[in-house]
Amino acid sequence: MDAHSRGRADDIDPADQWVLNPNTGNYELRLDHSAGESSSPSRTATAEGTGRRGGSRTGSSREGSGRRGSGSREREREEAPDGPRQVPGQRSRRSSQGGRGAAEPPSAGRRKRKPQKSRKKKALLWTGGVMAFVVVAGSAGAYALYQKLNGNIDAIDVGDAGSKNVVTDGPMNILIIGTDKRTGKGNEGYGDKGSEGHADTTILFHVSEDRTNATAMSIPRDLKTEIPECETKNEDGTTTVVPGTPNERFNTSLGQNGRDPGCTMRTVENITGLKPDHFMMVDFNAVKSLTSAVGGVNVCMAKPIDDPKSHLKLPQGESKVQGEQALALLRTRDSFGNRSDLDRIKVQQQFLGSMIREMKSSDTLTNPKKLYKLADAATDALTVDKAIGDARKLVTLAEEIGKVDTKNISFLTMPVIDNPAEPKPITVVVDPVKGEQLFAMMRSDTSLTEVKQKEKAAKGKQAALLKGPKAEPADVRVDVLNGGEIPGAAGATVNWLQNEQGVPKSTNKANAPEKIKKTTLEYAPNQADQARALAEMMGLPATAMKKGTADAEGLEAMVLTLGADFKGAGQLITGPAKPPKDIEKASADKAVCAQ
């Protein structure tokens, strides 16, 4: 007998089926809704026990609806060896015998176990928090409600624009796209009528390899840049090649001429040298539904706001916004700073930080109804790439992102300057100095926050290799080999060293015997001053320095092998230790009043 056959099934809110077990700290699915009865062990299936299967009452999934053969049962045993084997809706056959499927109540003389933190709640919090209005993952009962949430998600095949893997061992880059597409009631005043939606609000979210920190870089919609050629997938399986165009607004990398999010991903890679692994996209409705689902987001205004265009009215100081009012706050330009898109971005970043804190609050985490509504609204609003177009995959990604501490999430805006090609600048272009410095930092996975480093002593010893006197460029001898992906990289680097850096004793040794991921510089102890000089020119990290044990003899040269991290002659392989001056940076854990 399932929930639908026990009386008033239509009156049951899915969120009300979940209760917090104080003994475990996990939410459990309560299947007995009879009047006056409490949830018994025989009718309870924990989210922990069903989580890894993404099960539903029928036990079916999107890939295998309605089939429950022996192979399915074997997979369940492999995936959840320690948890209860029943899926939600099934009653434990061991309930009265005290078997593994029963939740044994604490006896009077037994000390109650300290509640454990639920990884699933953490997954929801962090994916939702880090991406804020692009919340993913599930709900308090994400796995048991898998079929419903999974059916909410839309996925787009972006081909090789992204990664085929859900998570990677190294750094991860996730592109967050908020479109100006007008769908749904109440959105008539926003966006272009009939538009497929442009990249109106875009954030490149970089998660460090060791998962200790993350950088969320906003990309201005009015940035003038090159939109590269891209392939889009059609519903009939064919592909269409959309030609590239120079000197275009960044927001047209989506929607214009049939471009899909894969085109936006390629545009971001073309600008920054950082390849997005995945994208997550929402439209206006997501802001309204998600802020309402979480119960509103606290914001702070440095002065009263009364904007007749967006109909936004907020008092000075703190307020709580949700729904239409939250969208108006994120869309208004006329209420802050010099009324530019750059000032609007600052407000958006402050809003996202506030939403992170709201999701982290106990009021959200201990409220299964709120969590369910949040997850339902999030997945319903979400469009992602095909590689993560599944609720279970999104939860896997969420758990990986969840390793990042809130205080080590930095929000900033891509460094830009007014477009010099315009007499009266309306658009912006990448700052040629600060922009490349920031991109280099992100490419080399350098944190913008102070994080506790692992193996600090060992890293300190390695970093010491870069400290000390440096040889004159004319005295540097180096053989250059190409172990990376760029054809002719060794020759181009030698030309750059000779003509731009004054290193005439550099030699092109063509391709290395094998491809390598990281650039290396091999040198002898008596070549240390030359190595430090070359490292400074190339922007080599300390980890690239490979000091030998025996001194070099005569005119022996050092060996520089370019790896996959090499992006081109003259481009620093690693960025500076600190971000460029004058770049405003905000932390997700601190409240700031919008001005």
Side-chain angles (χ1 to χ4, degrees):
M1 181 181 295
D2 62 17
H4 293 284
S5 60
R6 286 197 296 273
R8 304 173 61 188
D10 292 340
D11 294 337
I12 298 174
D13 188 320
D16 289 334
Q17 300 178 58
W18 292 92
V19 294
L20 182 66
N21 185 332
N23 297 327
T24 65
N26 292 325
Y27 284 101
E28 297 181 350
L29 182 62
R30 183 183 64 204
L31 299 177
D32 194 338
H33 293 274
S34 301
E37 290 185 28
S38 62
S39 178
S40 67
S42 63
R43 298 184 182 184
T44 301
T46 65
E48 193 70 40
T50 60
R52 297 186 182 180
R53 295 190 303 279
S56 67
R57 285 190 174 85
T58 63
S60 62
S61 69
R62 175 179 280 185
E63 293 82 11
S65 178
R67 293 187 296 181
R68 294 284 296 167
S70 60
S72 176
R73 288 191 292 270
E74 287 298 322
R75 283 193 297 274
E76 289 175 9
R77 283 194 288 271
E78 291 174 2
E79 293 172 354
D82 300 323
R85 289 172 53 188
Q86 72 272 19
V87 297
Q90 293 178 324
R91 299 186 183 184
S92 171
R93 297 178 180 177
R94 307 183 184 185
S95 58
S96 60
Q97 287 78 20
R100 289 185 303 168
E104 185 179 333
S107 62
R110 182 180 301 171
R111 179 180 296 177
K112 186 179 295 185
R113 288 190 298 170
K114 184 178 181 180
Q116 299 173 346
K117 292 182 179 179
S118 168
R119 287 184 63 80
K120 292 160 194 63
K121 289 185 291 180
K122 184 179 179 183
L124 170 71
L125 161 68
W126 282 99
T127 307
V130 170
M131 311 310 183
F133 66 86
V134 196
V135 184
V136 297
S139 68
Y143 300 100
L145 298 171
Y146 164 74
Q147 279 190 311
K148 172 173 174 49
L149 298 180
N150 202 47
N152 288 347
I153 303 168
D154 292 325
I156 295 176
D157 186 354
V158 294
D160 62 359
S163 172
K164 302 300 181 184
N165 300 318
V166 177
V167 299
T168 62
D169 293 333
M172 292 193 304
N173 298 303
I174 302 170
L175 193 63
I176 312 302
I177 306 172
T179 77
D180 56 4
K181 186 175 182 179
R182 300 194 332 182
T183 60
K185 185 178 179 180
N187 291 327
E188 294 81 5
Y190 302 104
D192 299 326
K193 187 174 182 180
S195 169
E196 287 297 315
H198 298 117
D200 187 65
T201 301
T202 307
I203 297 174
L204 180 61
F205 190 79
H206 174 84
V207 183
S208 68
E209 181 173 3
D210 61 7
R211 310 304 189 237
T212 62
N213 63 92
T215 300
M217 182 179 70
S218 297
I219 303 175
R221 67 188 300 275
D222 294 329
L223 175 75
K224 274 295 185 79
T225 187
E226 176 188 3
I227 310 295
E229 176 183 285
C230 63
E231 286 188 354
T232 61
K233 301 283 185 178
N234 302 317
E235 292 184 3
D236 60 3
T238 61
T239 60
T240 298
V241 177
V242 183
T245 52
N247 202 32
E248 288 271 10
R249 268 186 167 91
F250 173 81
N251 69 330
T252 63
S253 63
L254 177 69
Q256 198 86 359
N257 301 324
R259 295 187 178 108
D260 66 10
C263 298
T264 307
M265 296 170 77
R266 289 182 171 90
T267 302
V268 170
E269 182 180 7
N270 190 55
I271 296 170
T272 66
L274 290 153
K275 180 180 175 67
D277 295 290
H278 304 291
F279 83 85
M280 298 178 184
M281 181 172 68
V282 294
D283 61 18
F284 289 145
N285 279 335
V287 178
K288 296 194 291 186
S289 61
L290 291 174
T291 53
S292 297
V294 81
V297 176
N298 291 315
V299 295
C300 180
M301 301 295 112
K303 60 182 181 180
I305 302 297
D306 187 357
D307 183 4
K309 291 184 178 180
S310 65
H311 308 293
L312 176 65
K313 292 185 178 181
L314 289 173
Q316 183 178 356
E318 295 186 355
S319 303
K320 179 169 281 193
V321 297
Q322 61 179 295
E324 190 70 35
Q325 193 177 36
L327 179 58
L329 174 63
L330 296 181
R331 292 290 300 162
T332 184
R333 287 192 184 202
D334 294 336
S335 301
F336 307 104
N338 59 8
R339 301 181 178 183
S340 71
D341 184 49
L342 298 180
D343 288 303
R344 185 181 68 149
I345 286 174
K346 293 178 184 178
V347 175
Q348 291 171 347
Q349 291 172 349
Q350 292 162 8
F351 180 88
L352 297 181
S354 181
M355 194 164 184
I356 290 175
R357 295 189 294 275
E358 177 63 35
M359 291 182 178
K360 187 178 180 180
S361 70
S362 59
D363 181 55
T364 299
L365 291 180
T366 59
N367 189 329
K369 181 175 287 189
K370 183 180 286 188
L371 285 172
Y372 170 79
K373 289 180 179 178
L374 182 59
D376 189 35
T379 51
D380 190 49
L382 195 63
T383 300
V384 299
D385 57 284
K386 193 174 181 180
I388 56 172
D390 176 284
R392 286 174 291 188
K393 292 177 180 178
L394 286 174
V395 170
T396 298
L397 182 61
E399 290 177 333
E400 194 70 11
I401 296 172
K403 298 174 183 177
V404 181
D405 193 318
T406 314
K407 67 182 180 181
N408 292 329
I409 301 173
S410 298
F411 288 101
L412 50 80
T413 304
M414 177 183 288
V416 294
I417 58 174
D418 288 339
N419 189 348
E422 297 173 343
K424 185 177 180 180
I426 300 175
T427 61
V428 294
V429 296
V430 176
D431 187 310
V433 177
K434 295 178 182 178
E436 178 52 37
Q437 288 177 339
L438 178 60
F439 303 157
M441 284 190 72
M442 296 174 70
R443 288 195 300 263
S444 62
D445 204 26
T446 302
S447 174
L448 273 69
T449 60
E450 294 293 334
V451 295
K452 184 177 180 181
Q453 299 293 332
K454 300 177 181 178
E455 302 174 0
K456 190 173 182 180
K459 287 190 175 183
K461 184 177 180 181
Q462 185 71 19
L465 297 176
L466 295 175
K467 297 178 181 178
K470 300 177 181 67
E472 292 296 323
D475 295 328
V476 173
R477 294 179 179 272
V478 61
D479 293 337
V480 183
L481 293 87
N482 184 13
E485 304 295 332
I486 303 175
T493 299
V494 168
N495 287 336
W496 176 77
L497 286 171
Q498 292 178 349
N499 298 322
E500 301 291 335
Q501 301 299 310
V503 184
K505 299 169 185 175
S506 52
T507 306
N508 176 12
K509 293 294 183 178
N511 292 331
E514 59 183 5
K515 300 289 186 181
I516 60 174
K517 290 184 178 181
K518 302 289 186 179
T519 298
T520 61
L521 176 60
E522 301 172 66
Y523 64 98
N526 61 341
Q527 296 173 322
D529 57 343
Q530 297 181 49
R532 287 189 286 265
L534 185 63
E536 184 177 60
M537 298 175 202
M538 299 285 297
L540 297 179
T543 52
M545 309 295 281
K546 307 299 179 185
K547 184 178 179 180
T549 57
D551 283 347
E553 298 180 0
L555 302 178
E556 185 177 348
M558 300 181 295
V559 178
L560 174 68
T561 306
L562 305 174
D565 57 348
F566 176 78
K567 301 303 178 184
Q571 294 191 39
L572 299 179
I573 291 177
T574 187
K578 296 182 179 180
K581 293 181 179 180
D582 304 325
I583 288 186
E584 293 187 34
K585 180 169 64 75
S587 174
D589 68 334
K590 295 181 180 179
V592 179
C593 291
Q595 301 187 29

